[in-house]
Amino acid sequence: MVWGWHLSFLSASTSNLPCWLVEEFVVTAECSPCSNFQAKTTPECGPTGYVEKITCSSSKKIEFKSCRSALMEQHLFWKFEGAVVFVALIFACLVIIRQRQLDRKALEKVRKQIESI
């Protein structure tokens, strides 16, 4: 009895989901930036600012689906690469500075040992 209730709950909850989550779909318009009007009226534009138009196979519903464009991904990749290079340069400078400090301390120690002889 509990199992039957669980299945009825599952089927009722899938009716609220977008059709592309529960059935096959075909992309009818490729991923493109949202227009100003779409950004205000279509909630799918919110997460990425890009949307693609899809048609679900079984129900023939036409819906919009949030997507990530290749251009946006490339831009984020190069931002990340730039940040990594920047951090690497900072740490390289810190290593050089620390190495010079240690070299000075070692030279000073050797100088004091030579003076004490």
Side-chain angles (χ1 to χ4, degrees), residues 96-109:
I96 291 169
I97 291 169
R98 179 67 178 153
Q99 188 63 48
R100 287 181 182 169
Q101 286 176 345
L102 292 174
D103 287 344
R104 267 191 240 112
K105 283 184 180 181
L107 285 172
E108 185 66 26
K109 198 173 192 181

Side-chain angles (χ1 to χ4, degrees), residues 29-79:
E30 290 297 322
C31 192
S32 60
C34 295
S35 65
N36 288 338
F37 178 73
Q38 280 180 321
K40 293 176 185 170
T41 59
T42 310
E44 288 82 6
C45 284
T48 61
Y50 288 82
V51 73
E52 62 187 357
K53 190 176 181 180
I54 60 164
T55 304
C56 294
S57 301
S58 302
S59 62
K60 301 295 182 203
K61 278 185 176 177
I62 297 174
E63 292 189 5
F64 289 101
K65 181 177 176 274
S66 184
C67 61
R68 298 180 69 95
S69 78
L71 185 64
M72 182 177 72
E73 289 293 323
Q74 184 181 19
H75 181 71
L76 289 174
F77 170 77
W78 287 114
K79 265 176 114 170

